[in-house]
Amino acid sequence: MTTLQHIIDGKNVTGTSETLFDIYDPSTGKTTKKIKGASANDVQKAVKIANEKFTSWSQVTPSKRAQIMFNYRDLIIKNTDELAKLISQEHGKTFADAKGEVGRGLEIVEYCTAINNHLKSDFTADVSTGIDSHNVRQPLGVCAGIVPFNFPAMVPMWMYPVAISCGNTFVLKLSEKVPSCGLRLTELMQEAGLPAGVLNTIVGDKEAVDEILTNPLVRAVSFVGSTPVGEYIYQEGSRHNKRVQALCGAKNHMIVMPDADLEQSTDAIIGAAYGSAGERCMAISVVVAVGDETADQLIESLAPKIKSLNIGAYDEPNVEMGPVISKESQEKILSYIESGIDDGAELKVDGRSATEKDGFFIGGCLFDKVTPNMSIYTDEIFGPVLSIVRVSTYDEALALVNDHEYGNGTAIFTRDGDTARHFTSNVKVGMVGVNIPIPVPVAMHSFGGWKRSLFGGSSIHGMEGVRFYTQLKTVTSRWPSGIRKGAQFHFKSGKDV
Ligand code: NAD
């Protein structure tokens, strides 16, 4: 059995918390690795070294930092298969999906290779006579990231490449369920030329997180995970005067209008609802069918495809959907299916027989006639369970999306430009797709939801990420050759002189 270690100051370190985490292969249910968690004391050490390295790292020019990102890019490409395998073995998603995830993380690294361009600032000559003004964005110091299990590579890469290329040092707290890929990515960062101690990677639970949230040397915290934990992290981190962005849970609706292309909509729903076993914060978990005819046709085309999903381990041939992450998660999803039946929704496809396999499998499930008062509609299930809600009009569909507590992603499938335009303008959700089921913004844009899907107001990566990990300084300067007027005691505008 492999025992993993944390990486602090470039060295492998054994954790000192009381907790020993088991890491599973979800397709067999067997423990494959272990790691002793990071204690508060271990986190203190990681933060201390990150703080010591901050001054020297922040003085490395952005072009030199970018060069390390170029090296890192090459190493990720060279090692993609190994990274993807580590993801699939611990998370359970298919190998192709894991490779796709590494690719999306890689795009953030590529964005960071142009960090000197992203940090370029404004300069205004002659804001007043002989006086110039310019802005600089400077790094904050030690930043920290707390990440979920469902994207072991991509979500960490939303954070540390941006923070580090902006000149910060970083403490990354990986999910205790899927740590191997994040640890390997940290090793590759060092191989790329990053000085030891600039990126420190630990694995732990609430004990480690609470130290991050209260340690006075940590200046900013990025969190991605569930809403209850994210809300706690936002409140606790803010209370300790940190900049916090917390990207949280979701219930993503896809509206299907009567004029939508049925085949395109069906394929989109299958991939977006059942890909990665529904364990994506941008998964479609509710289809709002406008008109009974639309709902009936969709169910007719979806049901056979859901029943024939090829479910298995990541390395089985032609596998389309893997297991969910844990026994606990499998049981939680099964209890939602029970409650959907009890509440009167119609279970059109029942995937529960897949639980007979070893591992944490659940087959694709499809509920029809779901109503907004049911918990399968209100709650994030985070599994391969799709609800169909029937409405009569587009206005009813829009109101449903807007009334839901979450606002991460949404999509509309239609051929009508007016309806699509009305939807994109009026929907209260952060990421919107038009005939695109999972509208995850690419690296140069920013990722983030609305309502209870995001706390702290700041989206992640792209220019929002650069702004989050830097602070603005504005310099106003005059040189001795400028106008001399003696001491001035009143406030002036640029027009005064
Ligand atoms: P989680 O909230 O259980 O865990 C996230 C992180 O917080 C982990 O590192 C975990 O160790 C830590 N944590 C867990 N409980 C804690 C506690 N009580 N105190 C302090 N820290 C704690 O989430 P998860 O199950 O790992 O991931 C799934 C969730 O993440 C889903 O809700 C999903 O929607 C969300 N997610 C959101 C986005 C987004 O961008 N909005 C992206 C990916 C995942």
Side-chain angles (χ1 to χ4, degrees):
M1 170 106 32
T2 313
T3 303
L4 301 173
Q5 289 178 299
H6 316 268
I7 302 177
I8 299 175
D9 197 16
K11 299 177 201 76
N12 292 330
V13 177
T14 301
T16 62
S17 92
E18 297 294 313
T19 318
L20 183 66
F21 295 110
D22 285 330
I23 297 147
Y24 294 90
D25 174 350
S27 66
T28 62
K30 296 209 169 70
T31 308
T32 53
K33 296 173 194 166
K34 288 185 183 285
I35 183 162
K36 193 113 192 294
S39 64
N41 194 29
D42 299 328
V43 177
Q44 278 166 22
K45 284 184 187 155
V47 170
K48 185 167 177 285
I49 191 72
N51 188 54
E52 283 166 17
K53 294 296 165 100
F54 172 63
T55 304
S56 58
W57 177 245
S58 64
Q59 288 168 357
V60 171
T61 63
S63 299
K64 285 187 183 150
R65 291 185 222 134
Q67 188 54 53
I68 293 173
M69 291 296 157
F70 275 110
N71 301 344
Y72 193 40
R73 173 188 179 274
D74 292 348
L75 286 169
I76 292 170
I77 291 170
K78 197 170 137 206
N79 293 283
T80 294
D81 282 5
E82 182 203 344
L83 293 164
K85 199 167 164 191
L86 290 172
I87 294 171
S88 293
Q89 285 171 337
E90 293 177 3
H91 177 282
K93 64 177 74 174
T94 66
F95 187 59
D97 196 24
K99 277 177 84 162
E101 172 187 348
V102 175
R104 287 306 287 259
L106 178 69
E107 287 172 7
I108 310 288
V109 175
E110 288 170 344
Y111 177 83
C112 294
T113 60
I115 194 67
N116 34 16
N117 186 46
H118 309 318
L119 289 173
K120 210 171 57 181
S121 65
D122 300 327
F123 178 90
T124 309
D126 295 322
V127 290
S128 188
T129 307
I131 297 179
D132 305 325
S133 218
H134 73 274
N135 291 333
V136 275
R137 298 213 70 98
Q138 295 192 324
L140 302 170
V142 181
C143 300
I146 301 160
V147 293
F149 79 82
N150 67 323
F151 282 105
M154 181 184 80
V155 169
M157 284 198 273
W158 283 353
M159 301 175 181
Y160 68 84
V162 184
I164 284 173
S165 49
C166 286
N168 301 284
T169 54
F170 208 82
V171 175
L172 173 63
K173 203 238 32 107
L174 297 171
S175 164
E176 61 281 16
K177 298 183 178 113
V178 290
S180 294
C181 184
L183 290 166
R184 184 71 187 118
L185 281 165
T186 305
E187 287 172 359
L188 293 178
M189 201 69 242
Q190 286 164 197
E191 217 178 292
L194 191 75
V198 174
L199 173 62
N200 303 279
T201 301
I202 55 165
V203 182
D205 55 13
K206 191 172 184 327
E207 181 186 353
V209 169
D210 283 344
E211 178 57 34
I212 289 172
L213 297 176
T214 53
N215 192 307
L217 296 175
V218 176
R219 295 288 316 280
V221 178
S222 300
F223 169 85
V224 176
S226 62
T227 292
V229 179
E231 188 167 25
Y232 166 75
I233 280 171
Y234 172 66
Q235 289 172 350
E236 199 60 9
S238 305
R239 205 164 68 79
H240 288 87
N241 299 320
K242 296 174 200 327
R243 194 177 276 198
V244 184
Q245 57 179 177
L247 289 88
C248 298
K251 194 81 183 178
N252 305 310
H253 296 56
M254 170 169 154
I255 297 179
V256 182
M257 296 297 294
D259 69 346
D261 183 308
L262 190 68
E263 198 184 329
Q264 187 191 37
S265 306
T266 303
D267 286 343
I269 292 167
I270 292 286
Y274 303 103
S276 203
E279 291 176 322
R280 291 181 182 139
C281 68
M282 290 290 278
I284 292 294
S285 47
V286 178
V287 167
V288 186
V290 179
D292 279 334
E293 203 181 322
T294 312
D296 292 340
Q297 285 176 351
L298 272 179
I299 291 167
E300 202 183 315
S301 61
L302 284 169
K305 292 193 183 218
I306 300 168
K307 285 179 190 155
S308 63
L309 280 171
N310 193 352
I311 299 168
Y314 78 96
D315 50 359
E316 285 173 25
N318 306 319
V319 67
E320 293 167 315
M321 192 173 96
V324 297
I325 187 69
S326 62
K327 184 86 201 149
E328 194 190 8
S329 169
Q330 188 193 41
E331 282 166 1
K332 187 178 125 194
I333 296 163
L334 290 172
S335 81
Y336 271 114
I337 297 168
E338 287 295 329
S339 88
I341 296 166
D342 292 348
D343 288 344
E346 290 178 17
L347 187 57
K348 294 285 184 186
V349 181
D350 183 355
R352 286 176 294 177
S353 61
T355 54
E356 286 156 21
K357 286 160 80 83
D358 288 339
F360 311 134
F361 288 97
I362 300 191
C365 294
L366 178 68
F367 274 108
D368 185 20
K369 301 201 176 144
V370 174
T371 54
N373 58 324
M374 298 178 184
S375 65
I376 54 168
Y377 176 77
T378 53
D379 298 2
E380 182 182 45
I381 301 174
F382 224 55
V385 181
L386 177 66
S387 294
I388 302 229
V389 180
R390 294 170 176 242
V391 295
S392 306
T393 63
Y394 160 74
D395 288 342
E396 276 178 73
L398 177 65
L400 263 184
V401 184
N402 284 348
D403 289 346
H404 203 283
E405 68 167 320
Y406 295 122
N408 212 39
T410 189
I412 188 164
F413 275 62
T414 180
R415 288 187 167 99
D416 183 69
D418 268 350
T419 310
R421 189 167 189 278
H422 186 275
F423 183 68
T424 55
S425 304
N426 292 286
V427 73
K428 293 178 182 151
V429 170
M431 293 170 283
V432 185
V434 176
N435 299 317
I436 303 276
I438 307 191
V440 174
V442 293
M444 71 285 254
H445 290 273
S446 300
F447 184 110
W450 284 18
K451 297 186 274 184
R452 286 175 63 76
S453 293
L454 178 95
F455 298 93
S458 178
S459 294
I460 209 160
H461 70 66
M463 273 314 288
E464 288 268 303
V466 171
R467 281 190 278 270
F468 182 77
Y469 291 123
T470 53
Q471 52 198 342
L472 188 69
K473 185 180 275 177
T474 306
V475 180
T476 306
S477 49
R478 169 162 61 193
W479 296 97
S481 60
I483 291 175
R484 291 162 198 257
K485 282 197 156 187
Q488 305 277 304
F489 295 98
H490 63 283
F491 231 51
K492 292 212 188 59
S493 79
K495 297 184 205 78
D496 285 344
V497 280

